[in-house]
Amino acid sequence: MTTRITDLETEHVAALAPHAREWVGRALSTAPVSWRRWEAAARECYRYARVSWPDRVVRTTSPLALARALYHARIREVPGDEDRALVGVFRRVTRTWVDGLIPRLFAPSVLGRVQREVFNPVETATAAGGAVAQAVATALHQGALINDPADVPQSAWATARRISVRRHPRRRPVPPDWRAWTLHLSGQWESAWCAYVTFLGALHGERGNRTWRRRIETIADAQAVGWWWPHLDFVAVCDRPSVVRTESTPDGPVRLHCDDGPAIVWPDGWSLYFWHGTLVPAWVVQRPTVAAIHAESNVEVRRCGIESLGWDTYITSARLRLVDRADDPGNADCQLSLYDLPENVWGTASRVLLVTNGSPERDGTRRRYGLPVPVDVATAVRAAAWTYGLDADQYARLARRT
Amino acid sequence: MKTLADLTAATGLPVDVHLVMDLTIPVGDGIQAQGDLLVVPLAELADRVTVRRHATWDEVPPGGVEVVRNEAGGNPHTLVADPDTCAWTTDVDDTDGLAVGVFDAMAPVYLMHREHGGTGIAPGLYVVRRQRELVPPVRAPWRPHIAGYRDVPRALEVVKTVRPVWRPVVD
């Protein structure tokens, strides 16, 4: 009978943050996949599920190519009622099995702490995994094959040839009820749970039996790829991206962002654009315009578009109504301007305060930026005070701004 | 009275080259702003900001303490003081949730930033607060709708066949 761990030693507490950082690095890694190691781990997963290893391993270059290949190969699986797809079994013998065992070995306080300091940062960093799935869904259901980047159709067709003999090139958009591609394991995008259980496994040390720790190591190795799609007759697996660009947030965890190009690029050329962690169409990063912002139906993409274009450019081009203008206390010769922001642009009725930076940029100009404020602030000075949580008369006494 | 050049020499923190290095940094005891940080005497916000009873106060070292680290541009704000003149704590409660920390200065201290230069603060008890903006509620992330998985795919289910039992015809 193994003892239950109820407390974290000092050295373990100190190891939490480095472990989280290491796993964030692994989750967003672009290093080439070690295929031998992955295949050994995948074989072990099949053994845990008590299914014989299908000798066909089909490698592809990106999640979109994988989804298209499954469609070409006429894989008709219905999530919730799978016929030969094995993802449900795999989740049962790996994640559910380990999750059932952990509460018996660790006290809830320990689990809560490890979750807060290891799982949550890695989960924030891999929040893009959902965006990747969303992008695949959009590309499949709304884009015809000809809109995909250069190598994706070729890669998809080559993969489909290896998956199945019954294949048929489909050039129309995929019907919305075909969801077999969702029966994948997300690999590196699910690293948060792997980070959590590998830390607990290391915490457990050498005491007790090793079966569950060996299973955790196997899962961690098997998830060190992009998406993979297990089936009774084949395993389809896709590569990790070749480029991932991130930024660090003020609160700590990293998120995907690139302001002059795509944030994720796969080896076949399929690329996704992100703005401060939100998936956006390419125009937000490359060529934001007021017309495109107003034509966009998704409110989060609109906000990213405005930030990318710049508030001062947007306010003058969209000709927002000026509510109030006042001199900026503490900032000589600069003004605070308060504008009305229409509801259909920002999602809710609000106002925006245009402020000027206190110190000049390298070229001598002073940057102007916009801060959205609630709709019930009446004057510019009160809006500026709201952003700092002060009263208007306190902010009016601001001595100096740099 | 220090200039930006004195501060960068004393602490080794880099500052952008286009900022003026030779002017004396004015030292004030009122409300001052540096970028998106605000330094306010604690007495002004006594009804909103409180220091917790058993707060840990750390001495500000000569190299400075990073008040806010890792802004989106990557440059932190650093509080710089002569040795043994300033104490800093982050164990602070704020009803608006904007306070970063409180510092108690016994001599003039300086808040430095790479792009904004330096701000001089007279002795006293001050709270450092961040700026906020209105962000409409975040929507739940998109998930492909899956009604759960089967535990065992249909192809692997063991189907129990009942063998017909043959029995003699009864006349």
Side-chain angles (χ1 to χ4, degrees):
Chain A
M1 197 46 144
T2 52
T3 54
R4 210 165 175 238
I5 297 185
T6 53
D7 228 334
L8 282 179
E9 313 277 332
T10 338
E11 71 241 14
H12 297 141
V13 171
L16 283 168
H19 185 87
R21 271 198 299 274
E22 179 208 329
W23 272 89
V24 168
R26 282 163 84 155
L28 300 175
S29 150
T30 58
V33 177
S34 162
W35 292 110
R36 198 183 302 257
R37 219 164 142 184
W38 172 81
E39 188 170 323
R43 277 182 197 259
E44 279 296 297
C45 288
Y46 271 81
R47 195 177 63 83
Y48 293 143
R50 300 200 201 150
V51 175
S52 57
W53 173 251
D55 279 309
R56 246 183 305 168
V57 174
V58 180
R59 270 167 46 184
T60 183
T61 47
S62 73
L64 181 60
L66 176 65
R68 288 225 184 266
L70 293 171
Y71 189 63
H72 288 326
R74 295 182 153 194
I75 302 288
R76 289 195 191 103
E77 297 278 342
V78 176
D81 188 32
E82 298 105 51
D83 187 15
R84 295 175 77 82
L86 293 173
V87 67
V89 191
F90 276 30
R91 292 224 191 270
R92 182 168 51 86
V93 299
T94 54
R95 186 156 174 164
T96 318
W97 189 84
V98 174
D99 278 344
L101 204 55
I102 284 177
R104 276 190 262 153
L105 298 171
F106 298 93
S109 57
V110 171
L111 293 182
R113 180 139 192 205
V114 177
Q115 180 176 350
R116 265 198 316 275
E117 306 205 21
V118 171
F119 184 90
N120 288 348
V122 184
E123 171 86 7
T124 325
T126 56
V132 171
Q134 180 182 1
V136 168
T138 317
L140 283 182
H141 299 311
Q142 285 159 27
L145 202 59
I146 48 174
N147 290 341
D148 287 346
D151 287 339
V152 168
Q154 205 176 1
S155 168
W157 184 233
T159 310
R161 257 208 307 272
R162 277 154 44 218
I163 287 177
S164 135
V165 284
R166 278 186 310 123
R167 62 194 178 270
H168 177 71
R170 309 275 195 74
R171 298 216 180 271
R172 329 181 199 105
V174 171
D177 54 352
W178 182 78
R179 292 191 166 275
W181 63 274
T182 57
L183 296 169
H184 61 266
L185 286 140
S186 298
Q188 64 182 127
W189 307 107
E190 290 177 350
S191 310
W193 185 82
C194 289
Y196 172 66
V197 291
T198 43
F199 188 84
L200 293 176
L203 205 60
H204 206 63
E206 295 302 316
R207 67 192 97 176
N209 77 56
R210 286 202 56 211
T211 321
W212 71 284
R213 277 184 291 132
R214 211 177 306 137
R215 199 169 282 217
I216 290 173
E217 284 159 14
T218 309
I219 301 167
D221 281 340
Q223 298 277 53
V225 281
W227 289 8
W228 57 292
W229 207 95
H231 192 268
L232 280 175
D233 310 319
F234 64 90
V235 184
V237 60
C238 101
D239 239 330
R240 287 203 277 229
S242 52
V243 174
V244 170
R245 298 198 183 104
T246 58
E247 61 164 8
S248 56
T249 54
D251 300 326
V254 301
R255 62 187 175 194
L256 272 83
H257 170 75
C258 182
D259 48 12
D260 56 359
I264 313 183
V265 184
W266 269 276
D268 56 9
W270 188 49
S271 44
L272 295 178
Y273 294 82
F274 280 81
W275 184 266
H276 294 309
T278 318
L279 178 69
V280 292
W283 61 262
V284 168
V285 172
Q286 289 171 332
R287 216 179 27 246
T289 58
V290 178
I293 290 170
H294 287 164
E296 175 61 48
S297 55
N298 184 331
V299 62
E300 268 142 25
V301 174
R302 276 205 295 277
R303 284 181 225 144
C304 295
I306 296 177
E307 274 175 42
S308 171
L309 181 63
W311 273 106
D312 44 354
T313 323
Y314 176 73
I315 287 174
T316 41
S317 312
R319 286 197 282 268
L320 298 182
R321 184 181 84 93
L322 178 67
V323 173
D324 185 32
R325 182 173 282 161
D327 285 326
D328 195 357
N331 204 357
D333 302 328
C334 289
Q335 292 200 311
L336 300 166
S337 314
L338 185 65
Y339 295 88
D340 253 340
L341 199 53
E343 189 167 338
N344 56 359
V345 171
W346 198 247
T348 63
S350 61
R351 292 186 163 160
V352 61
L353 178 71
L354 194 62
V355 300
T356 313
N357 215 357
S359 13
E361 303 292 311
R362 279 164 218 268
D363 53 5
T365 56
R366 303 261 207 112
R367 199 162 60 94
R368 307 202 75 192
Y369 53 98
L371 296 162
V373 293
V375 69
D376 51 357
V377 290
T379 66
V381 173
R382 187 167 297 171
W386 179 89
T387 63
Y388 284 113
L390 296 176
D391 299 326
D393 53 341
Q394 285 174 323
Y395 188 77
R397 284 185 276 125
L398 183 72
R400 184 169 172 255
R401 167 180 283 284
T402 49
Chain B
M1 295 305 247
K2 295 202 181 162
T3 67
L4 201 52
D6 296 334
L7 285 178
T8 50
T11 59
L13 293 167
V15 184
D16 274 348
V17 292
H18 63 277
L19 296 172
V20 181
M21 305 286 274
D22 300 328
L23 293 180
T24 318
I25 299 176
V27 172
D29 66 346
I31 305 177
Q32 302 189 75
Q34 185 182 78
D36 56 351
L37 278 198
L38 193 77
V39 177
V40 188
L42 187 54
E44 299 256 5
L45 294 175
D47 53 340
R48 282 173 253 195
V49 177
T50 47
V51 181
R52 292 180 202 146
R53 182 141 28 124
H54 298 291
T56 329
W57 290 85
D58 298 314
E59 189 210 319
V60 174
V65 65
E66 280 184 359
V67 163
V68 171
R69 124 170 34 141
N70 284 341
E71 272 184 10
N75 293 321
H77 296 261
T78 313
L79 182 65
V80 169
D82 289 330
D84 279 334
T85 55
C86 187
W88 159 257
T89 180
T90 50
D91 291 331
V92 168
D93 288 322
D94 184 354
T95 55
D96 292 319
L98 294 171
V100 175
V102 164
F103 64 90
D104 189 0
M106 270 129 348
V109 299
Y110 296 89
L111 191 65
M112 284 183 65
H113 186 269
R114 188 183 176 125
E115 294 165 356
H116 302 296
T119 302
I121 303 148
L125 195 59
Y126 296 87
V127 61
V128 178
R129 269 180 150 200
R130 300 169 93 146
Q131 200 170 29
R132 63 180 166 180
E133 59 178 11
L134 186 73
V135 177
V138 175
R139 290 206 288 214
W142 181 91
R143 286 190 201 294
H145 176 70
I146 300 179
Y149 302 116
R150 282 175 75 100
D151 270 350
V152 178
R154 274 188 281 125
L156 285 182
E157 270 181 340
V158 171
V159 176
K160 277 181 123 147
T161 51
V162 177
R163 270 160 150 250
V165 174
W166 125 181
R167 58 180 179 188
V169 170
V170 172
D171 272 352

